[in-house]
PDB file of all heavy atoms in Angstrom:
ATOM      1  N   ASN A 107    -147.891-180.778  27.788  1.00 85.00           N
ATOM      2  CA  ASN A 107    -147.414-179.888  26.730  1.00 85.00           C
ATOM      3  C   ASN A 107    -147.973-178.476  26.823  1.00 85.00           C
ATOM      4  O   ASN A 107    -147.513-177.591  26.117  1.00 85.00           O
ATOM      5  CB  ASN A 107    -147.763-180.466  25.360  1.00 85.00           C
ATOM      6  CG  ASN A 107    -147.044-181.765  25.103  1.00 85.00           C
ATOM      7  OD1 ASN A 107    -145.870-181.900  25.405  1.00 85.00           O
ATOM      8  ND2 ASN A 107    -147.762-182.734  24.566  1.00 85.00           N
ATOM      9  N   LEU A 108    -148.987-178.267  27.659  1.00 90.00           N
ATOM     10  CA  LEU A 108    -149.619-176.955  27.802  1.00 90.00           C
ATOM     11  C   LEU A 108    -149.717-176.591  29.280  1.00 90.00           C
ATOM     12  O   LEU A 108    -150.509-177.170  30.015  1.00 90.00           O
ATOM     13  CB  LEU A 108    -151.023-176.956  27.193  1.00 90.00           C
ATOM     14  CG  LEU A 108    -151.122-177.027  25.686  1.00 90.00           C
ATOM     15  CD1 LEU A 108    -152.576-177.257  25.270  1.00 90.00           C
ATOM     16  CD2 LEU A 108    -150.584-175.758  25.059  1.00 90.00           C
ATOM     17  N   VAL A 109    -148.918-175.629  29.713  1.00 92.00           N
ATOM     18  CA  VAL A 109    -148.896-175.211  31.113  1.00 92.00           C
ATOM     19  C   VAL A 109    -149.950-174.115  31.314  1.00 92.00           C
ATOM     20  O   VAL A 109    -149.917-173.089  30.631  1.00 92.00           O
ATOM     21  CB  VAL A 109    -147.498-174.678  31.505  1.00 92.00           C
ATOM     22  CG1 VAL A 109    -147.488-174.171  32.932  1.00 92.00           C
ATOM     23  CG2 VAL A 109    -146.442-175.758  31.291  1.00 92.00           C
ATOM     24  N   PRO A 110    -150.901-174.300  32.247  1.00 94.00           N
ATOM     25  CA  PRO A 110    -151.911-173.276  32.501  1.00 94.00           C
ATOM     26  C   PRO A 110    -151.322-172.120  33.313  1.00 94.00           C
ATOM     27  O   PRO A 110    -150.694-172.319  34.350  1.00 94.00           O
ATOM     28  CB  PRO A 110    -152.990-174.023  33.286  1.00 94.00           C
ATOM     29  CG  PRO A 110    -152.290-175.183  33.901  1.00 94.00           C
ATOM     30  CD  PRO A 110    -151.122-175.515  33.021  1.00 94.00           C
ATOM     31  N   LEU A 111    -151.514-170.900  32.810  1.00 94.00           N
ATOM     32  CA  LEU A 111    -150.837-169.731  33.361  1.00 94.00           C
ATOM     33  C   LEU A 111    -151.766-168.528  33.364  1.00 94.00           C
ATOM     34  O   LEU A 111    -152.581-168.369  32.448  1.00 94.00           O
ATOM     35  CB  LEU A 111    -149.609-169.429  32.496  1.00 94.00           C
ATOM     36  CG  LEU A 111    -148.644-168.363  32.930  1.00 94.00           C
ATOM     37  CD1 LEU A 111    -147.820-168.853  34.124  1.00 94.00           C
ATOM     38  CD2 LEU A 111    -147.700-168.019  31.775  1.00 94.00           C
ATOM     39  N   TYR A 112    -151.643-167.690  34.377  1.00 94.00           N
ATOM     40  CA  TYR A 112    -152.339-166.411  34.412  1.00 94.00           C
ATOM     41  C   TYR A 112    -151.351-165.299  34.105  1.00 94.00           C
ATOM     42  O   TYR A 112    -150.255-165.271  34.666  1.00 94.00           O
ATOM     43  CB  TYR A 112    -152.957-166.159  35.789  1.00 94.00           C
ATOM     44  CG  TYR A 112    -154.343-166.728  35.934  1.00 94.00           C
ATOM     45  CD1 TYR A 112    -154.541-168.086  36.091  1.00 94.00           C
ATOM     46  CD2 TYR A 112    -155.457-165.899  35.899  1.00 94.00           C
ATOM     47  CE1 TYR A 112    -155.816-168.623  36.214  1.00 94.00           C
ATOM     48  CE2 TYR A 112    -156.737-166.423  36.018  1.00 94.00           C
ATOM     49  CZ  TYR A 112    -156.909-167.777  36.176  1.00 94.00           C
ATOM     50  OH  TYR A 112    -158.168-168.300  36.284  1.00 94.00           O
ATOM     51  N   ILE A 113    -151.754-164.388  33.232  1.00 94.00           N
ATOM     52  CA  ILE A 113    -151.019-163.151  32.979  1.00 94.00           C
ATOM     53  C   ILE A 113    -151.850-162.048  33.606  1.00 94.00           C
ATOM     54  O   ILE A 113    -153.064-161.951  33.361  1.00 94.00           O
ATOM     55  CB  ILE A 113    -150.824-162.897  31.467  1.00 94.00           C
ATOM     56  CG1 ILE A 113    -149.987-164.004  30.840  1.00 94.00           C
ATOM     57  CG2 ILE A 113    -150.218-161.513  31.228  1.00 94.00           C
ATOM     58  CD1 ILE A 113    -148.567-164.107  31.347  1.00 94.00           C
ATOM     59  N   LEU A 114    -151.225-161.225  34.429  1.00 92.00           N
ATOM     60  CA  LEU A 114    -151.924-160.205  35.208  1.00 92.00           C
ATOM     61  C   LEU A 114    -151.389-158.825  34.871  1.00 92.00           C
ATOM     62  O   LEU A 114    -150.180-158.595  34.927  1.00 92.00           O
ATOM     63  CB  LEU A 114    -151.749-160.507  36.697  1.00 92.00           C
ATOM     64  CG  LEU A 114    -152.124-161.939  37.104  1.00 92.00           C
ATOM     65  CD1 LEU A 114    -151.556-162.277  38.472  1.00 92.00           C
ATOM     66  CD2 LEU A 114    -153.621-162.135  37.062  1.00 92.00           C
ATOM     67  N   PHE A 115    -152.282-157.915  34.531  1.00 93.00           N
ATOM     68  CA  PHE A 115    -151.915-156.537  34.227  1.00 93.00           C
ATOM     69  C   PHE A 115    -152.212-155.677  35.443  1.00 93.00           C
ATOM     70  O   PHE A 115    -153.339-155.669  35.944  1.00 93.00           O
ATOM     71  CB  PHE A 115    -152.719-156.018  33.030  1.00 93.00           C
ATOM     72  CG  PHE A 115    -152.525-156.823  31.773  1.00 93.00           C
ATOM     73  CD1 PHE A 115    -153.514-157.666  31.312  1.00 93.00           C
ATOM     74  CD2 PHE A 115    -151.339-156.730  31.049  1.00 93.00           C
ATOM     75  CE1 PHE A 115    -153.350-158.404  30.153  1.00 93.00           C
ATOM     76  CE2 PHE A 115    -151.160-157.471  29.887  1.00 93.00           C
ATOM     77  CZ  PHE A 115    -152.164-158.302  29.439  1.00 93.00           C
ATOM     78  N   ALA A 116    -151.203-154.946  35.941  1.00 89.00           N
ATOM     79  CA  ALA A 116    -151.381-154.103  37.122  1.00 89.00           C
ATOM     80  C   ALA A 116    -150.450-152.903  37.058  1.00 89.00           C
ATOM     81  O   ALA A 116    -149.281-153.045  36.709  1.00 89.00           O
ATOM     82  CB  ALA A 116    -151.107-154.901  38.391  1.00 89.00           C
ATOM     83  N   SER A 117    -150.980-151.733  37.427  1.00 84.00           N
ATOM     84  CA  SER A 117    -150.126-150.541  37.454  1.00 84.00           C
ATOM     85  C   SER A 117    -149.292-150.488  38.728  1.00 84.00           C
ATOM     86  O   SER A 117    -148.274-149.816  38.778  1.00 84.00           O
ATOM     87  CB  SER A 117    -150.960-149.275  37.301  1.00 84.00           C
ATOM     88  OG  SER A 117    -151.934-149.204  38.315  1.00 84.00           O
ATOM     89  N   SER A 118    -149.723-151.211  39.756  1.00 78.00           N
ATOM     90  CA  SER A 118    -148.907-151.385  40.964  1.00 78.00           C
ATOM     91  C   SER A 118    -149.257-152.753  41.536  1.00 78.00           C
ATOM     92  O   SER A 118    -150.297-153.325  41.236  1.00 78.00           O
ATOM     93  CB  SER A 118    -149.163-150.276  41.985  1.00 78.00           C
ATOM     94  OG  SER A 118    -150.483-150.350  42.475  1.00 78.00           O
TER      95      SER A 118
END
Side-chain angles (χ1 to χ4, degrees):
N107 295 318
L108 289 170
V109 177
L111 187 73
Y112 272 75
I113 297 296
L114 308 164
F115 301 107
S117 57
S118 66

